[in-house]
CSV table of all heavy atoms in Angstrom, one decimal:
chain,number,residue,atom,x,y,z
A,1100,THR,N,27.6,-33.1,-74.3
A,1100,THR,CA,26.5,-32.9,-73.3
A,1100,THR,C,25.7,-31.7,-74.0
A,1100,THR,O,26.0,-31.2,-75.0
A,1100,THR,CB,27.0,-32.6,-72.0
A,1100,THR,OG1,25.9,-32.5,-71.0
A,1100,THR,CG2,27.7,-31.2,-71.9
A,1101,ALA,N,24.6,-31.3,-73.2
A,1101,ALA,CA,23.8,-30.2,-73.5
A,1101,ALA,C,23.6,-29.4,-72.2
A,1101,ALA,O,22.8,-29.7,-71.4
A,1101,ALA,CB,22.4,-30.7,-74.1
A,1102,SER,N,24.3,-28.3,-72.1
A,1102,SER,CA,24.3,-27.6,-70.8
A,1102,SER,C,23.0,-26.8,-70.6
A,1102,SER,O,22.2,-26.8,-71.5
A,1102,SER,CB,25.5,-26.7,-70.7
A,1102,SER,OG,25.5,-25.6,-71.7
A,1103,GLY,N,22.9,-26.2,-69.5
A,1103,GLY,CA,21.6,-25.4,-69.2
A,1103,GLY,C,20.7,-26.4,-68.4
A,1103,GLY,O,19.5,-26.2,-68.5
A,1104,PHE,N,21.2,-27.5,-67.9
A,1104,PHE,CA,20.4,-28.4,-67.2
A,1104,PHE,C,21.1,-28.8,-65.8
A,1104,PHE,O,21.6,-29.8,-65.5
A,1104,PHE,CB,20.5,-29.7,-68.1
A,1104,PHE,CG,19.3,-30.6,-67.9
A,1104,PHE,CD1,17.9,-30.1,-68.2
A,1104,PHE,CD2,19.3,-31.9,-67.5
A,1104,PHE,CE1,16.9,-30.9,-68.1
A,1104,PHE,CE2,18.1,-32.7,-67.3
A,1104,PHE,CZ,17.0,-32.2,-67.6
A,1107,PHE,N,23.1,-31.2,-63.5
A,1107,PHE,CA,23.8,-32.2,-64.3
A,1107,PHE,C,24.8,-31.6,-65.3
A,1107,PHE,O,25.9,-32.2,-65.3
A,1107,PHE,CB,22.7,-33.0,-65.0
A,1107,PHE,CG,21.8,-33.8,-64.1
A,1107,PHE,CD1,20.6,-33.3,-63.8
A,1107,PHE,CD2,22.2,-35.1,-63.7
A,1107,PHE,CE1,19.7,-34.0,-62.9
A,1107,PHE,CE2,21.4,-35.8,-62.9
A,1107,PHE,CZ,20.2,-35.3,-62.4
A,1108,GLU,N,24.5,-30.5,-65.9
A,1108,GLU,CA,25.5,-29.9,-66.9
A,1108,GLU,C,25.0,-28.5,-66.9
A,1108,GLU,O,23.9,-28.1,-67.3
A,1108,GLU,CB,25.5,-30.6,-68.2
A,1108,GLU,CG,24.1,-31.0,-68.7
A,1108,GLU,CD,23.9,-32.4,-68.4
A,1108,GLU,OE1,24.7,-33.2,-68.0
A,1108,GLU,OE2,22.7,-32.9,-68.6
A,1119,ASP,N,26.9,-34.8,-64.2
A,1119,ASP,CA,27.3,-35.6,-65.4
A,1119,ASP,C,28.7,-35.5,-65.9
A,1119,ASP,O,29.3,-36.5,-66.3
A,1119,ASP,CB,26.3,-35.3,-66.6
A,1119,ASP,CG,25.0,-35.9,-66.5
A,1119,ASP,OD1,24.8,-36.9,-65.8
A,1119,ASP,OD2,24.1,-35.5,-67.1
A,1142,PHE,N,20.4,-30.4,-77.0
A,1142,PHE,CA,20.0,-31.7,-76.6
A,1142,PHE,C,19.6,-32.6,-77.9
A,1142,PHE,O,20.2,-33.7,-77.9
A,1142,PHE,CB,18.9,-31.8,-75.6
A,1142,PHE,CG,18.7,-33.1,-75.0
A,1142,PHE,CD1,19.5,-33.8,-74.2
A,1142,PHE,CD2,17.5,-33.8,-75.4
A,1142,PHE,CE1,19.3,-35.0,-73.6
A,1142,PHE,CE2,17.3,-35.1,-74.9
A,1142,PHE,CZ,18.1,-35.7,-74.0
A,1145,LEU,N,22.5,-34.4,-79.9
A,1145,LEU,CA,23.4,-35.3,-79.3
A,1145,LEU,C,23.4,-36.7,-80.0
A,1145,LEU,O,24.4,-37.3,-80.3
A,1145,LEU,CB,23.1,-35.4,-77.8
A,1145,LEU,CG,23.6,-34.3,-76.9
A,1145,LEU,CD1,23.0,-34.5,-75.5
A,1145,LEU,CD2,25.1,-34.2,-76.8
A,1158,ALA,N,26.6,-37.5,-72.3
A,1158,ALA,CA,26.5,-37.5,-70.9
A,1158,ALA,C,25.6,-36.3,-70.6
A,1158,ALA,O,26.0,-35.2,-70.5
A,1158,ALA,CB,27.8,-37.4,-70.2
A,1159,ALA,N,24.3,-36.5,-70.7
A,1159,ALA,CA,23.4,-35.4,-70.7
A,1159,ALA,C,22.0,-35.6,-70.0
A,1159,ALA,O,21.0,-35.2,-70.5
A,1159,ALA,CB,23.1,-35.0,-72.2
A,1160,ALA,N,22.1,-36.3,-68.8
A,1160,ALA,CA,20.8,-36.7,-68.1
A,1160,ALA,C,19.9,-37.3,-69.1
A,1160,ALA,O,18.7,-37.0,-69.0
A,1160,ALA,CB,20.3,-35.5,-67.5
A,1161,MET,N,20.4,-38.1,-70.0
A,1161,MET,CA,19.6,-38.7,-71.1
A,1161,MET,C,18.8,-39.9,-70.5
A,1161,MET,O,19.3,-40.9,-70.1
A,1161,MET,CB,20.3,-39.0,-72.3
A,1161,MET,CG,19.5,-39.3,-73.5
A,1161,MET,SD,20.5,-39.8,-74.9
A,1161,MET,CE,20.9,-38.2,-75.6
A,1162,THR,N,17.4,-39.8,-70.7
A,1162,THR,CA,16.6,-41.0,-70.3
A,1162,THR,C,16.7,-42.0,-71.3
A,1162,THR,O,16.7,-41.9,-72.4
A,1162,THR,CB,15.1,-40.4,-70.2
A,1162,THR,OG1,15.0,-39.4,-69.2
A,1162,THR,CG2,14.2,-41.6,-69.7
A,1163,ILE,N,16.8,-43.3,-70.6
A,1163,ILE,CA,16.9,-44.5,-71.5
A,1163,ILE,C,15.4,-44.8,-72.0
A,1163,ILE,O,14.6,-45.0,-71.2
A,1163,ILE,CB,17.5,-45.7,-70.7
A,1163,ILE,CG1,18.8,-45.4,-70.2
A,1163,ILE,CG2,17.4,-46.9,-71.5
A,1163,ILE,CD1,19.3,-46.3,-69.1
A,1164,THR,N,15.3,-44.6,-73.3
A,1164,THR,CA,13.9,-44.9,-73.9
A,1164,THR,C,14.1,-46.0,-75.0
A,1164,THR,O,15.1,-46.1,-75.6
A,1164,THR,CB,13.2,-43.6,-74.4
A,1164,THR,OG1,13.9,-43.3,-75.6
A,1164,THR,CG2,13.1,-42.6,-73.5
A,1167,ARG,N,14.9,-44.2,-78.4
A,1167,ARG,CA,16.3,-43.9,-78.5
A,1167,ARG,C,17.2,-45.1,-78.8
A,1167,ARG,O,18.2,-45.0,-79.4
A,1167,ARG,CB,16.9,-43.0,-77.3
A,1167,ARG,CG,16.2,-41.7,-77.3
A,1167,ARG,CD,16.5,-40.9,-76.0
A,1167,ARG,NE,15.9,-39.6,-76.0
A,1167,ARG,CZ,15.6,-38.9,-74.9
A,1167,ARG,NH1,16.0,-39.3,-73.7
A,1167,ARG,NH2,15.0,-37.7,-74.9
A,1182,GLN,N,9.3,-36.5,-64.0
A,1182,GLN,CA,9.1,-35.1,-64.5
A,1182,GLN,C,8.4,-34.2,-63.4
A,1182,GLN,O,8.0,-34.8,-62.4
A,1182,GLN,CB,8.2,-35.1,-65.7
A,1182,GLN,CG,8.9,-35.8,-66.9
A,1182,GLN,CD,10.1,-35.1,-67.5
A,1182,GLN,OE1,10.1,-33.9,-67.7
A,1182,GLN,NE2,11.2,-35.8,-67.5
A,1208,GLN,N,11.8,-28.5,-73.3
A,1208,GLN,CA,13.0,-28.4,-74.2
A,1208,GLN,C,12.8,-29.4,-75.3
A,1208,GLN,O,12.3,-30.6,-75.2
A,1208,GLN,CB,14.3,-28.8,-73.4
A,1208,GLN,CG,15.5,-28.8,-74.2
A,1208,GLN,CD,16.7,-29.2,-73.5
A,1208,GLN,OE1,16.7,-29.9,-72.4
A,1208,GLN,NE2,17.9,-28.6,-73.8
A,1210,GLY,N,13.2,-32.2,-78.0
A,1210,GLY,CA,13.8,-33.4,-78.0
A,1210,GLY,C,13.8,-34.2,-76.7
A,1210,GLY,O,14.4,-35.3,-76.6
A,1211,THR,N,13.2,-33.6,-75.6
A,1211,THR,CA,13.2,-34.3,-74.4
A,1211,THR,C,12.1,-35.1,-74.0
A,1211,THR,O,10.9,-35.0,-74.6
A,1211,THR,CB,13.3,-33.2,-73.1
A,1211,THR,OG1,12.3,-32.3,-73.4
A,1211,THR,CG2,14.6,-32.4,-73.3
A,1212,THR,N,12.0,-35.8,-73.0
A,1212,THR,CA,10.9,-36.6,-72.5
A,1212,THR,C,9.8,-35.6,-71.8
A,1212,THR,O,8.7,-36.0,-71.8
A,1212,THR,CB,11.4,-37.6,-71.4
A,1212,THR,OG1,12.2,-37.0,-70.6
A,1212,THR,CG2,12.1,-38.7,-72.1
A,1213,GLY,N,10.4,-34.4,-71.4
A,1213,GLY,CA,9.4,-33.4,-71.0
A,1213,GLY,C,8.5,-33.0,-72.0
A,1213,GLY,O,7.4,-32.8,-71.8
A,1215,ASP,N,7.8,-34.8,-74.6
A,1215,ASP,CA,6.9,-36.0,-74.8
A,1215,ASP,C,5.6,-35.9,-73.9
A,1215,ASP,O,4.5,-36.1,-74.3
A,1215,ASP,CB,7.5,-37.3,-74.5
A,1215,ASP,CG,8.6,-37.7,-75.4
A,1215,ASP,OD1,8.6,-37.1,-76.5
A,1215,ASP,OD2,9.4,-38.5,-75.1
A,1235,GLU,N,15.4,-24.3,-76.7
A,1235,GLU,CA,16.8,-24.9,-77.0
A,1235,GLU,C,17.3,-25.5,-75.7
A,1235,GLU,O,17.9,-26.5,-75.7
A,1235,GLU,CB,17.6,-23.9,-77.5
A,1235,GLU,CG,18.1,-24.2,-79.0
A,1235,GLU,CD,18.8,-23.1,-79.6
A,1235,GLU,OE1,19.8,-22.5,-78.9
A,1235,GLU,OE2,18.3,-22.6,-80.6
A,1236,ASN,N,17.2,-24.8,-74.6
A,1236,ASN,CA,17.5,-25.2,-73.3
A,1236,ASN,C,16.6,-24.6,-72.2
A,1236,ASN,O,15.9,-23.7,-72.5
A,1236,ASN,CB,19.0,-25.0,-73.0
A,1236,ASN,CG,19.2,-23.5,-72.9
A,1236,ASN,OD1,18.7,-22.7,-72.0
A,1236,ASN,ND2,20.0,-23.0,-73.8
A,1237,TYR,N,16.6,-25.3,-71.0
A,1237,TYR,CA,15.6,-24.9,-70.0
A,1237,TYR,C,16.0,-23.6,-69.3
A,1237,TYR,O,15.1,-22.9,-68.7
A,1237,TYR,CB,15.5,-26.0,-69.0
A,1237,TYR,CG,14.5,-27.1,-69.4
A,1237,TYR,CD1,14.9,-28.4,-69.7
A,1237,TYR,CD2,13.2,-26.8,-69.5
A,1237,TYR,CE1,14.0,-29.4,-70.1
A,1237,TYR,CE2,12.2,-27.7,-70.0
A,1237,TYR,CZ,12.7,-29.0,-70.2
A,1237,TYR,OH,11.8,-30.0,-70.6
A,1255,ASP,N,12.6,-32.5,-66.0
A,1255,ASP,CA,13.0,-33.4,-65.0
A,1255,ASP,C,13.1,-32.8,-63.6
A,1255,ASP,O,13.6,-31.7,-63.4
A,1255,ASP,CB,14.4,-34.0,-65.3
A,1255,ASP,CG,14.5,-34.6,-66.7
A,1255,ASP,OD1,13.9,-34.0,-67.7
A,1255,ASP,OD2,15.2,-35.7,-66.9
A,1278,GLU,N,11.7,-42.4,-64.8
A,1278,GLU,CA,12.8,-42.5,-65.9
A,1278,GLU,C,14.2,-42.8,-65.3
A,1278,GLU,O,14.4,-42.6,-64.1
A,1278,GLU,CB,13.0,-41.0,-66.6
A,1278,GLU,CG,11.7,-40.8,-67.4
A,1278,GLU,CD,11.6,-39.3,-67.8
A,1278,GLU,OE1,12.5,-38.8,-68.6
A,1278,GLU,OE2,10.6,-38.7,-67.5
A,1280,TYR,N,18.4,-42.4,-66.3
A,1280,TYR,CA,19.4,-41.9,-67.2
A,1280,TYR,C,20.5,-42.8,-67.4
A,1280,TYR,O,20.9,-43.7,-66.6
A,1280,TYR,CB,20.1,-40.7,-66.5
A,1280,TYR,CG,19.2,-39.5,-66.1
A,1280,TYR,CD1,19.6,-38.6,-65.3
A,1280,TYR,CD2,17.9,-39.4,-66.6
A,1280,TYR,CE1,18.9,-37.4,-64.9
A,1280,TYR,CE2,17.1,-38.3,-66.2
A,1280,TYR,CZ,17.6,-37.4,-65.3
A,1280,TYR,OH,16.7,-36.3,-65.0
B,1295,LIG,N1,15.9,-36.6,-69.3
B,1295,LIG,C1,15.3,-35.9,-70.3
B,1295,LIG,C2,15.4,-36.7,-71.5
B,1295,LIG,O1,16.2,-37.5,-71.7
B,1295,LIG,C3,15.8,-34.5,-70.4
B,1295,LIG,C4,17.3,-34.4,-70.6
B,1295,LIG,C5,17.8,-33.0,-70.9
B,1295,LIG,N2,19.2,-33.0,-70.8
B,1295,LIG,C6,19.9,-31.9,-71.0
B,1295,LIG,N3,21.3,-32.0,-70.8
B,1295,LIG,N4,19.4,-30.8,-71.5
B,1295,LIG,O2,14.7,-36.3,-72.5
Side-chain angles (χ1 to χ4, degrees):
T1100 192
S1102 67
F1104 209 62
F1107 293 95
E1108 40 266 346
D1119 277 339
F1142 186 74
L1145 285 170
M1161 190 182 279
T1162 302
I1163 302 170
T1164 67
R1167 291 171 180 162
Q1182 294 293 305
Q1208 182 179 27
T1211 60
T1212 51
D1215 290 342
E1235 243 166 53
N1236 66 63
Y1237 276 112
D1255 302 42
E1278 290 166 63
Y1280 300 164

